[in-house]
Amino acid sequence: TSNKRTLRTLFRPATLPPPVISETSPSQKKLLAYHRGKEQQEVLNQLLIDRALEVYYITMDETDKRDAAPPIKELPSTVRQYFVIILNYLFMKKRVQRNPMIPIQQQWLRSMLALVPRSLMEGKDRALLTEELLKEIVRDYEKSMQRCVLRRVLVKPDIKELDKLEEEAPLPLLPLGLDFSSTWRNSYIKAKQQIISTLHILHPTMKALLDFGYTAFFNLLLVDFSSSRLKGPVDCKSLKTDASLSCSKAEEEIISTWYQRVVGLFSQSEALDGVKLDQLESFYNCVSVLMSNQLKGLLQRTTEVFVKLFDPEDRSRLPLFKMDLTYDENKMEFYPSLEDLEEAILFVVDCIGQTLQNFQTMRAWLTGGTATLDAELPAHIAQWAKSTLKKSIKDNLEGPKEHFKGYVESYGWLVDGTAEERINRFVAEQPSFDEYT
């Protein structure tokens, strides 16, 4: 019994004193943070020394591979100085990079978005894509500002091994054709003088032309079928007729408003103020180009709006077309045919392109000539519109094709002679009354 008591006493767990809980003072927190930062810096320095030693050994091996390099127990003084310089530079670089910088202004981002056409901002997942692009712009800005500050504050040592240690990604390239390395005032003045003497774009008459075009065309479309879906199905013939009438009416309106204002402007002698006699030809050429661009812009915008009605991602304004399923001469088919429907839709693009083609140039109008403005719809725009519409028409006609195919498979045998042949063969077999029934 006494032995058991002795064993219990020996193996009894020691009673620990209760823990003392006390709050850490601010000075103690600063001291702890200092020692913790110092330990982290020592670990970082050791890692940098190891990396620098590795780079040094690799460099020594590459310079002389024929002779086996003896084990280096102690680095030369020059190499040690390089390591000290590298460590100091990287240490200071970390400190500079931690400094706060001025963030990019939100007004700049809004100005960038204002320059993007609204057509590119609409559609599925466009908002998410815009957000990602803005984040990329902010990252590039912060990275560039950080490196700019670093280069202004610190002088990077001319040591090759330092480039291998940093391994920084290259900065974003400047836009093509822009060079800010030299002053721009002289080149700007020279370009401005050339513009004034050659293009006449700064002449008050050109400003008046721009105002006329903006007032007349900013909210005008030659053809507008955006509300056709609300009117119900339309047949192909009516579509062609409406397009032709709309283009003719729009052209008459442009002649009576915009073109008459331009003619009235050049009927005044003040329109040529400051233009020398040897500059008249280039001046009128500039007028013709400006008027042509305004007319082409109207044609292009009308075409793009019409094509957008068939956008596969937004079918809320997709036009409805009336088609009949006919039976004639033992044949079932759509009327109009699918080919005729495609031709009617592409006709609208051709109709738009053939409008505004007979406007005289101002020089021809003043001198009684026959030259007309170049207002032809650009070929690449017409090609893009037709290819896009063909693809959209093909996709949207898959449903009617399946509908037609179902009719033919279900009822085609009633009209193609199969049913009549089966009846004649049944009668020729002289069945009984019950079989007839």
Side-chain angles (χ1 to χ4, degrees), residues 413-426:
W413 63 279
L414 293 175
V415 297
D416 63 2
T418 303
E420 184 177 0
E421 182 182 353
R422 288 174 59 185
I423 292 173
N424 293 333
R425 186 169 62 250
F426 180 75

Side-chain angles (χ1 to χ4, degrees), residues 272-400:
L272 300 178
D273 284 349
V275 181
K276 299 179 182 179
L277 187 60
D278 58 345
Q279 295 178 338
L280 279 178
E281 184 176 358
S282 62
F283 180 80
Y284 280 114
N285 287 339
C286 185
V287 172
S288 298
V289 170
L290 181 55
M291 295 175 66
S292 297
N293 289 340
Q294 291 176 336
L295 295 178
K296 287 181 179 180
L298 175 60
L299 296 177
Q300 180 174 341
R301 189 171 68 254
T302 304
T303 303
E304 291 173 350
V305 170
F306 178 72
V307 173
K308 195 170 182 178
L309 296 178
F310 297 83
D311 186 1
E313 297 182 358
D314 182 13
R315 300 193 175 190
S316 60
R317 295 182 296 175
L318 187 66
L320 298 175
F321 296 96
K322 182 168 64 176
M323 303 182 69
D324 297 327
L325 186 64
T326 63
Y327 169 67
D328 188 19
E329 297 180 357
N330 295 335
K331 186 178 180 181
M332 297 176 64
E333 60 184 0
F334 276 122
Y335 179 81
S337 65
L338 304 182
E339 291 77 13
D340 293 339
L341 177 62
E342 179 180 303
E343 187 270 334
I345 296 175
L346 297 181
F347 170 82
V348 178
V349 178
D350 293 332
C351 187
I352 295 172
Q354 294 169 3
T355 312
L356 310 179
Q357 301 302 307
N358 298 316
F359 285 87
Q360 279 185 300
T361 64
M362 284 297 100
R363 189 68 180 271
W365 184 86
L366 293 171
T367 60
T370 58
T372 57
L373 295 172
D374 176 20
E376 185 178 358
L377 182 68
H380 68 280
I381 298 296
Q383 183 179 1
W384 163 81
K386 290 186 177 181
S387 61
T388 304
L389 287 174
K390 286 181 179 179
K391 184 180 183 306
S392 180
I393 293 170
K394 180 181 178 182
D395 295 340
N396 284 289
L397 287 181
E398 290 298 327

Side-chain angles (χ1 to χ4, degrees), residues 100-281:
M101 68 177 65
I102 301 176
I104 189 171
Q105 298 184 23
Q106 294 299 317
Q107 182 182 357
W108 297 355
L109 299 178
R110 289 193 295 267
S111 300
M112 294 177 191
L113 290 178
L115 297 175
V116 180
R118 298 307 306 173
S119 59
L120 299 180
M121 302 286 289
E122 300 172 355
K124 190 177 180 181
D125 298 333
R126 296 294 172 84
L128 182 61
L129 176 61
T130 303
E131 184 179 354
E132 292 295 328
L133 290 175
L134 290 180
K135 289 181 179 178
E136 183 178 349
I137 292 173
V138 173
R139 287 195 301 268
D140 289 342
Y141 169 82
E142 292 177 350
K143 185 187 300 182
S144 300
M145 290 296 295
Q146 192 178 64
R147 294 189 184 183
C148 179
V149 172
L150 183 64
R151 291 176 181 178
R152 291 178 64 88
V153 174
L154 293 179
V155 178
K156 184 177 179 180
D158 188 13
I159 301 175
K160 293 189 297 184
E161 286 74 11
L162 187 59
D163 296 332
K164 300 179 181 179
L165 289 173
E166 287 186 301
E167 296 179 352
E168 292 182 343
L171 288 171
L173 297 176
L174 290 175
L176 185 64
L178 298 182
D179 182 12
F180 302 103
S181 59
S182 59
T183 57
W184 51 268
R185 179 172 175 77
N186 293 334
S187 60
Y188 167 75
I189 294 176
K190 182 179 179 181
K192 182 179 178 180
Q193 292 175 350
Q194 186 176 5
I195 289 175
I196 294 175
S197 62
T198 308
L199 297 181
H200 310 284
I201 199 64
L202 302 179
H203 196 277
T205 302
M206 301 301 173
K207 182 180 181 299
L209 275 179
L210 288 172
D211 293 339
F212 292 167
Y214 180 79
T215 303
F217 299 147
F218 86 101
N219 198 27
L220 177 65
L221 293 175
L222 300 178
V223 174
D224 187 8
F225 289 110
S226 58
S227 60
S228 64
R229 188 178 182 89
L230 302 177
K231 300 177 182 178
V234 62
D235 56 75
C236 295
K237 186 177 181 180
S238 298
L239 178 70
K240 291 183 176 181
T241 303
D242 292 344
S244 300
L245 291 177
S246 179
C247 288
S248 299
K249 186 182 298 184
E251 186 170 358
E252 292 176 359
E253 180 182 354
I254 292 172
I255 292 175
S256 61
T257 56
W258 172 75
Y259 193 72
Q260 288 301 321
R261 292 188 68 183
V262 175
V263 169
L265 175 65
F266 282 92
S267 299
Q268 303 173 5
S269 58
E270 294 83 0
L272 300 178
D273 284 349
V275 181
K276 299 179 182 179
L277 187 60
D278 58 345
Q279 295 178 338
L280 279 178
E281 184 176 358

Side-chain angles (χ1 to χ4, degrees), residues 4-113:
K4 291 180 179 178
R5 290 174 181 171
T6 304
L7 288 172
R8 288 195 191 98
T9 303
L10 290 174
F11 288 96
R12 182 179 299 142
T15 304
L16 298 177
V20 179
I21 302 174
S22 61
E23 295 184 358
T24 306
S25 62
S27 59
Q28 290 176 336
K29 290 182 180 179
K30 292 182 179 179
L31 185 60
L32 290 174
Y34 170 76
H35 286 293
R36 190 179 300 112
K38 189 173 182 182
E39 291 175 358
Q40 293 176 354
Q41 187 61 40
E42 290 177 355
V43 173
L44 176 62
N45 290 343
Q46 187 60 43
L47 291 175
L48 290 173
I49 291 174
D50 295 340
R51 173 60 178 158
L53 283 172
E54 180 183 353
V55 173
Y56 174 78
Y57 289 136
I58 293 174
T59 306
M60 293 296 293
D61 291 340
E62 290 179 352
T63 54
D64 191 3
K65 292 184 178 180
R66 293 172 298 180
D67 301 330
I72 300 175
K73 297 181 180 179
E74 185 176 357
L75 294 174
S77 59
T78 306
V79 179
R80 286 201 301 272
Q81 292 175 1
Y82 280 173
F83 288 164
V84 172
I85 294 174
I86 291 175
L87 291 175
N88 290 337
Y89 173 76
L90 294 178
F91 177 78
M92 294 300 297
K93 178 181 177 182
K94 294 283 185 183
R95 293 299 181 269
V96 173
Q97 288 177 340
R98 291 176 184 175
N99 289 337
M101 68 177 65
I102 301 176
I104 189 171
Q105 298 184 23
Q106 294 299 317
Q107 182 182 357
W108 297 355
L109 299 178
R110 289 193 295 267
S111 300
M112 294 177 191
L113 290 178

